[in-house]
Amino acid sequence: MRLPVLFLAVLLGACAQQPARDDSLYRALGERPGITRIVEGTLLNIARDPRIVERFRKIDIQRLRNKLIEQFCVEAGGPCTYTGDSMAESHKGQNVSRSDFNALVEDLIAAMEAQGVPVPAQNRLLARLAPMRGEVIER
């Protein structure tokens, strides 16, 4: 009878241990304050970007700001929860083109550069966001 009890104890102990969350990107981006500055910089860049500014005229920018902060925080491994719609749902019917998407990415990169985010950290964030591209373009 001792073997099943020992096995159960080992199994429960293994289940209780969560793998360590990798928050190194979150830290490299400046944690929540840094991510907030990056998002706000991106939105300011979009406001000055004639290629895509019209796409954002009728959008609740405060809500977009908050959801982007949540999303970037989650993607960076931070202690956040994303409460927005899926990317597919958010962009449904908007017919976002490749050039629109690329312009937004350029505005994001410029915001990260302005905040002094190292290029490796920029690339890590972009790599984590890249899979969403297919959910956004021409939906």
Side-chain angles (χ1 to χ4, degrees), residues 2-139:
R2 295 194 80 175
L3 186 58
V5 171
L6 179 60
F7 176 75
L8 183 60
V10 169
L11 182 62
L12 289 175
C15 290
Q17 294 177 351
Q18 297 288 328
R21 181 173 46 90
D22 179 7
D23 67 349
S24 61
L25 178 56
Y26 176 70
R27 287 183 283 112
L29 295 174
E31 300 181 348
R32 191 161 185 115
I35 290 170
T36 298
R37 287 189 299 273
I38 290 166
V39 167
E40 290 173 349
T42 301
L43 294 174
L44 288 172
N45 292 342
I46 289 168
R48 294 185 286 250
D49 190 336
R51 298 172 298 174
I52 59 173
V53 67
E54 287 303 318
R55 289 199 158 277
F56 293 84
R57 291 260 187 246
K58 295 180 182 177
I59 291 178
D60 179 346
I61 294 297
Q62 187 63 40
R63 183 177 192 285
L64 176 62
R65 172 195 174 273
N66 294 339
K67 297 308 163 200
L68 286 174
I69 291 168
E70 288 176 3
Q71 188 169 51
F72 288 11
C73 181
V74 168
E75 293 299 326
C80 307
T81 301
Y82 177 66
T83 61
D85 295 329
S86 71
M87 289 300 97
E89 188 62 32
S90 296
H91 295 87
K92 187 176 183 179
Q94 292 187 18
N95 297 314
V96 176
S97 70
R98 285 181 176 84
S99 60
D100 295 334
F101 185 86
N102 292 341
L104 186 136
V105 171
E106 290 171 18
D107 292 339
L108 169 58
I109 291 169
M112 290 191 286
E113 288 175 351
Q115 290 302 315
V117 175
V119 171
Q122 291 181 34
N123 290 338
R124 287 176 62 200
L125 179 62
L126 293 172
R128 291 187 185 182
L129 296 173
M132 296 176 200
R133 183 177 187 266
E135 297 179 35
V136 171
I137 292 179
E138 299 172 4
R139 291 263 168 205

